[in-house]
Amino acid sequence: MKSSREKENNRCISWHIHTLHNRLLHALNLGTRHFDEKTDRWKWQCANLEVQKNVLRSMDAFLDSISGDARAVRHTIVKESVGEVLGALLWILQCKSGPLLSMASNVALKLVSVLPNLLLQSHLLDLVSCLSSLLSSHQVEVAVPCATALNLVISNLSATKEKAVMEALKEKEISICIVGNIKDFAGGAKKIGYFEEMASLLSTILLRWPSSRFPVCNDVKLMECLANMHTGTDSSTKLVILKLYTSLALCGSVAKKLMEDGKVFLQMVVRAMGKSNPHDVQIEGFKLARCLFRSQENCLQVVDLCGEALVEAIICGMRETGPISQKNGNNHGSLLMEACQLALITRWAGDHHISFWKQRIDRVLLNLLIENIQDQSSELVLSLDKQISLVKEGLKSNYQLGLRSYVWDILGCLMIHYGESTPGTGSKLHINLLIMCACLTFADTIQNWCRICQKDVDDNLQSEPVSRAVLMMIYSPCDYISSRARFLLSDILKVRGMTCLENIMHTLDYTSSLESYGSFDKLQLVINLIGLTCLSSLTQYQRCIIESKGIKAVVLLLKRCLSIDIHVERPEIAPHLYTTFYERSCCWIGRGDWEGSNVLLFYCLWGLAEFLHQCGLLHDKDPQFTTEVTNIKAQLVTKLHEIYSSTSFSPGVKWYVSYILSHFGFYGFPNEFAKRIGKSFNKEEYADLLLVANGGSVSVHGIILAVRCPSLLPPEVLSSSKSSKEVTQKFVGETMREVRLSSRVDYEALLMLLEYVYLGSLHAGEEMVKKLKILASRCNLQPLFQMLCRERPNWGRPFPSSNLTSSLDSAGSCFSYEMSYWKLNQINLLDGHAIFVLTRYHMCMFTKLSCSLAVIIYRVCSDQE
């Protein structure tokens, strides 16, 4: 119960508010009211400056009395009088009386600071219009508080009012006005506070108004002003400039333009993340970096210019795990979160991975999972069971629990890109412990998932990230990491593993046949799919998986994904990846992640690929299983080939489709473009080479070989000792040039290889595959060789394309020398198939050699039309 003193204080405060409110009403009564038919409400007005001054003083005192008191703001007298107070304030501001304008602007700032936006809704558009019209005032004392007040209003806008307010600002050409003010500051004598408020307001508007970003960035004088100022030492100015750059960089075109400024700009961004800055500056530096480096191209560009400094800044941010003090508030946690989010650049391969390992990323991640693990390192020479017990206790401490999803994602990316030749690989002890942490958490996830109710999903947000991390560990290109993960997972599941597998397959079989899917069902599907794929790597479970209905359920899911019946984007099941920040982005036309937008489709393909691989290792296959695989082949091959003809699927999806089809005798990477080129295969028309092998000969087009398989060309054609013109002149004189291959080259194998060269794919039996492996290896056709050997796809590897653009330079220069004399019309085809289209008239004017390419290209383009 409240004490008598508290009650007395509350009565005194209430009496004081009522007194000031009555004084305000008395001052307002000195003015007059008229009915505005346009707005259908009464409006206050008064031309007397003394009355206006009295009203402003009364408003100021009344607002002071309720400032900082949440209960007072919700008081009835405040709600009832806010409309008239706002009306009077707007009238005074619109009068623009010089002596009172500064005072009125400050009262307006206090009003929007004290009162919640909800109470201002009825006059919001009028307030925004009035404040924005005063931004161009030559009085700094007027422009600055109006800018601050408008910033507050826009920052607290509700979704329902945002569009109307943005339209009102657009009519006022607000961004042009603010940009003009900032440029005036650069050439004038106004104080730095003026620049900070204007820049802060501009960044808030650009955050909500995407269409203004590129025009603002195109203002050369403004960008020069920002570039000159970001080298300053004042932290408040740095913070404002970083926020403005961040709002601009939400536009992909602007981000690219900023990156083009090169090393100076990027070094500024990296320095902003450094520990020498206050936490709020560091946080904004990380936010800007996340906007700039959200595409692989941008990330690799900054890695080339200042990669080590970038990684060092990220690692320093991830080490900010000290206790949260009153002085720093939540900045420690926010900085750590931002650093972890930026560390997700590890999802792309590159030299920055080497820098992360040099900076002891393994130790940093371990510290985020287990508190004081470094103090216990000496104890970890104990037996495996005692190590597992120690790690379990550490994980239960809930230390930095909110960051674990990021930790698992970073760890998984590091493992999947960890090559055998990666230098600076960190401590083997720490790597072992990280693998153990992930495997223990993953084992708990798949063991307990069948008992998790829908209402508990929010408490298991790390389920998908840790499952994904273990999957990446098991299939890491590093044999040590892969074998260690399988060993630990097998040991952890040695008691309940088979029961767990049966539950997974039962759940997967049930959920795959549901008519519709909620968020819980989607998460359940993904966890079970990943769990089944991980367990398929352990020998004790392989036969059970292959002889069960698991494959049938995965195939059913796969078919439903391909029919767009089920689509699961990763942020739906991994909420830590969902940020409202990127909702406001625009003009980003990136290639997306390697695994694609529908992760359920990707995990289905990955799982099916592993099941087929494992069943290929079984010598005594069950007859029923053989029949089921035959049925799968009949259902799948046609459906999977359709993926090749679409440009909407990611490289990872296409790689796994190729890998699966290789188990059915289909090898390569077909696409619609290659099919058109393939119409020229084994046709004598415009052919300029005759390849002679043991058993026969075949006519080919030199330009195709030059681009797709130069190893089959005679050495003198591509010799660097001769100019392109000399080679062309020598080559043009001959109608058909005969090239004799080694007697060990089998003619049938050569035809198959050329089928791949022209069409991008081939279909062969096991005996022919043995011959093709040798030929593909000798011809340095690595992607084909990888498929013939059924090697697993390397994460992040680009998907091979049938692009002929290189025929107009480098490899094909000897064939296209004379083409440079003729006018070519460039067009864009999707999926990287840029091509140069020749007009009918120009085609007739090419030499016989160039005509070979011309006809092929014309044929492709004619088919497309």
Side-chain angles (χ1 to χ4, degrees):
M1 295 183 64
K2 295 181 180 179
S3 65
S4 56
R5 179 175 293 182
E6 285 178 321
K7 291 180 180 179
E8 183 64 27
N9 286 338
N10 288 337
R11 278 195 294 269
C12 290
I13 292 171
S14 180
W15 177 83
H16 181 62
I17 291 173
H18 275 88
T19 301
L20 293 174
H21 179 253
N22 290 332
R23 188 181 298 173
L24 173 59
L25 292 178
H26 177 72
L28 290 171
N29 287 332
L30 296 176
T32 59
R33 293 165 179 80
H34 76 283
F35 186 77
D36 187 350
E37 293 182 355
K38 289 183 179 180
T39 59
D40 194 30
R41 61 186 177 215
W42 291 90
K43 286 191 174 182
W44 186 93
Q45 62 182 23
C46 180
N48 188 299
L49 294 183
E50 288 301 319
V51 172
Q52 290 182 10
K53 184 184 291 186
N54 188 23
V55 168
L56 289 174
R57 285 174 176 168
S58 300
M59 285 183 188
D60 190 57
F62 178 66
L63 291 171
D64 277 339
S65 68
I66 62 175
S67 177
D69 189 339
R71 290 176 301 172
V73 170
R74 295 193 299 268
H75 201 287
T76 304
I77 60 173
V78 175
K79 294 179 181 179
E80 291 175 351
S81 58
V82 68
E84 191 166 14
V85 169
L86 256 174
L89 179 60
L90 290 172
W91 168 268
I92 297 171
L93 286 169
Q94 289 165 357
C95 288
K96 296 184 179 179
S97 303
L100 294 180
L101 201 52
S102 175
M103 183 178 179
S105 300
N106 282 298
V107 171
L109 173 57
K110 186 173 290 187
L111 183 140
V112 298
S113 302
V114 172
L115 299 181
N117 254 23
L118 186 64
L119 295 181
L120 306 177
Q121 294 298 307
S122 59
H123 292 76
L124 194 61
L125 291 179
D126 292 333
L127 180 61
V128 167
S129 177
C130 189
L131 291 173
S132 58
S133 65
L134 293 171
L135 292 178
S136 56
S137 173
H138 295 293
Q139 293 180 261
V140 175
E141 298 81 3
V142 174
V144 169
C146 284
T148 308
L150 189 57
N151 200 349
L152 284 170
V153 171
I154 297 173
S155 299
N156 296 312
L157 274 178
S158 63
T160 55
K161 283 288 184 180
E162 184 173 314
K163 185 176 180 180
V165 169
M166 288 298 118
E167 284 298 321
L169 293 175
K170 186 178 180 180
E171 289 179 11
K172 292 285 184 179
E173 296 186 329
I174 189 72
S175 59
I176 296 175
C177 172
I178 300 171
V179 168
N181 289 349
I182 294 175
K183 291 192 289 188
D184 289 342
F185 164 80
K190 293 176 181 174
K191 294 182 179 180
I192 192 67
Y194 178 85
F195 167 80
E196 290 178 357
E197 291 301 331
M198 291 297 167
S200 178
L201 174 59
L202 182 60
S203 67
T204 302
I205 291 172
L206 295 179
L207 183 66
R208 293 173 175 264
W209 192 4
S211 60
S212 289
R213 291 167 189 160
F214 197 76
V216 168
C217 183
N218 266 345
D219 193 304
V220 177
K221 189 175 178 182
L222 172 70
M223 300 310 289
E224 286 178 353
C225 172
L226 296 179
N228 292 333
M229 292 195 67
H230 68 54
T231 56
T233 56
D234 186 81
S235 61
S236 62
T237 306
K238 277 184 183 178
L239 182 61
V240 167
I241 293 174
L242 289 169
K243 285 185 175 180
L244 181 51
Y245 275 132
T246 300
S247 294
L248 285 168
L250 286 172
C251 171
S253 301
V254 173
K256 185 176 180 181
K257 191 177 178 68
L258 291 172
M259 295 285 290
E260 289 171 358
D261 289 344
K263 196 169 185 176
V264 174
F265 175 75
L266 293 174
Q267 285 178 334
M268 180 277 293
V269 177
V270 173
R271 280 198 302 270
M273 295 184 280
K275 58 184 178 182
S276 60
N277 294 298
H279 277 82
D280 52 358
V281 172
Q282 286 182 269
I283 290 169
E284 201 59 45
F286 278 109
K287 287 181 179 178
L288 174 56
R290 282 200 291 127
C291 287
L292 292 171
F293 312 150
R294 61 182 293 191
S295 73
Q296 185 175 9
E297 294 80 5
N298 287 5
C299 175
L300 296 183
Q301 182 180 340
V302 73
V303 167
D304 288 340
L305 292 174
C306 45
E308 289 193 6
L310 171 66
V311 171
E312 184 178 353
I314 293 173
I315 293 295
C316 285
M318 292 176 71
R319 287 189 177 126
E320 287 287 341
T321 57
I324 298 174
S325 64
Q326 289 184 352
K327 179 181 178 181
N328 289 318
N330 290 321
N331 278 351
H332 268 294
S334 300
L335 176 58
L336 182 55
M337 183 74 74
E338 290 292 338
C340 288
Q341 288 178 330
L342 186 56
L344 293 178
I345 61 172
T346 50
R347 64 188 181 275
W348 298 306
D351 291 341
H352 54 298
H353 278 264
I354 297 173
S355 300
F356 272 109
W357 287 110
K358 286 182 179 177
Q359 292 287 339
R360 304 299 303 276
I361 182 67
D362 51 333
R363 184 175 187 140
V364 173
L365 293 176
L366 198 56
N367 261 336
L368 292 175
L369 290 172
I370 303 177
E371 188 174 7
N372 300 324
I373 187 63
Q374 307 305 327
D375 300 335
Q376 306 171 42
S377 296
S378 58
E379 301 177 35
L380 297 174
V381 294
L382 302 174
S383 67
L384 180 62
D385 287 341
K386 290 187 177 179
Q387 287 185 42
I388 290 175
S389 176
L390 187 63
V391 169
K392 276 184 176 179
E393 288 302 315
L395 289 171
K396 286 180 181 177
S397 64
N398 291 334
Y399 182 62
Q400 303 292 355
L401 192 59
L403 292 169
R404 284 198 179 171
S405 293
Y406 294 105
V407 172
W408 299 133
D409 269 358
I410 297 165
L411 181 58
C413 293
L414 290 168
M415 298 292 121
I416 202 69
H417 290 298
Y418 193 111
E420 294 291 354
S421 59
T422 303
T425 52
S427 164
K428 185 171 286 189
L429 170 64
H430 293 156
I431 292 175
N432 287 342
L433 289 173
L434 286 169
I435 295 173
M436 189 178 293
C437 288
C439 287
L440 283 167
T441 309
F442 171 65
D444 285 342
T445 297
I446 59 174
Q447 286 175 358
N448 299 328
W449 190 255
C450 59
R451 296 195 297 271
I452 293 177
C453 300
Q454 186 163 349
K455 63 184 177 62
D456 299 323
V457 171
D458 291 340
D459 298 325
N460 292 272
L461 299 181
Q462 62 172 326
S463 299
E464 191 272 348
V466 73
S467 302
R468 176 187 172 95
V470 172
L471 184 65
M472 288 175 154
M473 290 173 181
I474 288 173
Y475 296 103
S476 169
C478 174
D479 289 338
Y480 176 79
I481 290 174
S482 177
S483 60
R484 186 68 181 174
R486 289 197 302 271
F487 167 74
L488 285 172
L489 188 60
S490 178
D491 187 80
I492 293 167
L493 293 173
K494 60 187 175 185
V495 176
R496 297 184 56 199
M498 193 57 71
T499 303
C500 181
L501 176 61
E502 290 171 357
N503 288 332
I504 286 176
M505 291 191 292
H506 173 75
T507 307
L508 198 59
D509 184 50
Y510 168 73
T511 52
S512 64
S513 59
L514 292 175
E515 291 185 3
S516 60
Y517 295 89
S519 57
F520 175 77
D521 300 315
K522 291 177 179 180
L523 180 57
Q524 191 176 43
L525 273 175
V526 168
I527 297 301
N528 283 295
L529 260 178
I530 295 176
L532 193 60
T533 307
C534 288
L535 292 179
S536 73
S537 68
L538 307 180
T539 54
Q540 63 266 41
Y541 306 115
Q542 288 169 359
R543 181 171 294 279
C544 179
I545 293 173
I546 290 170
E547 295 177 358
S548 71
K549 294 182 180 180
I551 294 181
K552 190 175 180 180
V554 173
V555 171
L556 176 60
L557 279 174
L558 179 57
K559 290 172 67 178
R560 294 186 67 178
C561 286
L562 291 175
S563 63
I564 321 178
D565 192 19
I566 315 174
H567 188 92
V568 183
E569 297 192 14
R570 193 165 176 237
E572 293 181 62
I573 53 175
H576 68 288
L577 298 176
Y578 180 83
T579 59
T580 54
F581 202 54
Y582 288 150
E583 276 187 351
R584 299 189 175 275
S585 63
C586 62
C587 306
W588 282 97
I589 316 177
R591 291 181 296 179
D593 290 329
W594 189 75
E595 62 268 42
S597 59
N598 190 349
V599 292
L600 184 61
L601 170 63
F602 179 75
Y603 289 137
C604 282
L605 290 169
W606 193 342
L608 181 58
E610 291 308 319
F611 304 153
L612 292 173
H613 174 76
Q614 298 301 338
C615 74
L617 300 178
L618 293 177
H619 300 293
D620 52 336
K621 300 180 180 65
D622 186 278
Q624 183 181 353
F625 171 73
T626 304
T627 304
E628 190 167 329
V629 169
T630 304
N631 293 335
I632 288 172
K633 177 181 177 180
Q635 297 173 34
L636 272 187
V637 170
T638 303
K639 202 73 178 174
L640 292 179
H641 269 102
E642 292 175 6
I643 291 178
Y644 287 126
S645 59
S646 172
T647 58
S648 61
F649 292 103
S650 68
V653 166
K654 290 187 174 183
W655 266 113
Y656 271 101
V657 166
S658 297
Y659 183 57
I660 291 170
L661 289 175
S662 70
H663 290 82
F664 299 124
F666 297 92
Y667 303 91
F669 318 94
N671 56 64
E672 289 301 311
F673 186 80
K675 287 180 183 178
R676 299 186 190 117
I677 293 292
K679 291 179 181 180
S680 299
F681 175 51
N682 211 7
K683 299 288 179 65
E684 291 188 6
E685 185 182 14
Y686 301 111
D688 43 37
L689 288 174
L690 185 67
L691 298 183
V692 181
N694 183 18
S697 61
V698 58
S699 300
V700 295
H701 304 82
I703 187 65
I704 302 294
L705 296 190
V707 176
R708 301 273 289 143
C709 186
S711 299
L712 287 176
L713 289 172
E716 64 270 19
V717 172
L718 296 177
S719 172
S720 58
S721 62
K722 296 184 179 182
S723 68
S724 298
K725 187 173 183 180
E726 289 173 343
V727 173
T728 304
Q729 288 173 344
K730 178 179 179 180
F731 213 40
V732 168
E734 302 183 30
T735 304
M736 181 76 75
R737 183 181 180 87
E738 185 177 290
V739 178
R740 290 193 171 273
L741 303 176
S742 169
S743 60
R744 288 175 292 181
V745 176
D746 181 77
Y747 175 66
E748 295 298 328
L750 175 63
L751 284 179
M752 279 287 180
L753 188 77
L754 289 172
E755 185 179 333
Y756 168 77
V757 169
Y758 276 80
L759 291 165
S761 64
L762 59 90
H763 186 208
E766 291 300 323
E767 289 301 317
M768 181 57 70
V769 166
K770 293 176 183 178
K771 298 176 182 179
L772 282 171
K773 283 181 185 178
I774 299 171
L775 201 52
S777 177
R778 295 288 177 85
C779 291
N780 199 30
L781 295 174
Q782 288 303 318
L784 175 61
F785 182 75
Q786 180 179 343
M787 284 296 102
L788 291 170
C789 295
R790 291 180 184 148
E791 294 178 7
R792 291 188 179 98
N794 296 325
W795 187 281
R797 188 174 184 179
F799 191 74
S801 67
S802 301
N803 198 345
L804 289 180
T805 53
S806 60
S807 62
L808 299 177
D809 49 49
S810 63
S813 60
C814 58
F815 296 94
S816 57
Y817 177 79
E818 297 186 12
M819 293 178 71
S820 60
Y821 291 104
W822 308 105
K823 181 180 179 181
L824 305 178
N825 301 313
Q826 187 179 17
I827 66 169
N828 256 335
L829 301 181
L830 292 176
D831 201 22
H833 298 150
I835 196 74
F836 288 86
V837 184
L838 309 175
T839 64
R840 296 172 188 266
Y841 172 75
H842 287 146
M843 279 178 52
C844 300
M845 303 179 68
F846 279 99
T847 63
K848 292 180 181 178
L849 184 62
S850 299
C851 197
S852 168
L853 173 64
V855 170
I856 293 171
I857 293 178
Y858 176 67
R859 183 173 294 157
V860 170
C861 298
S862 298
D863 288 345
Q864 186 177 320
E865 292 169 3

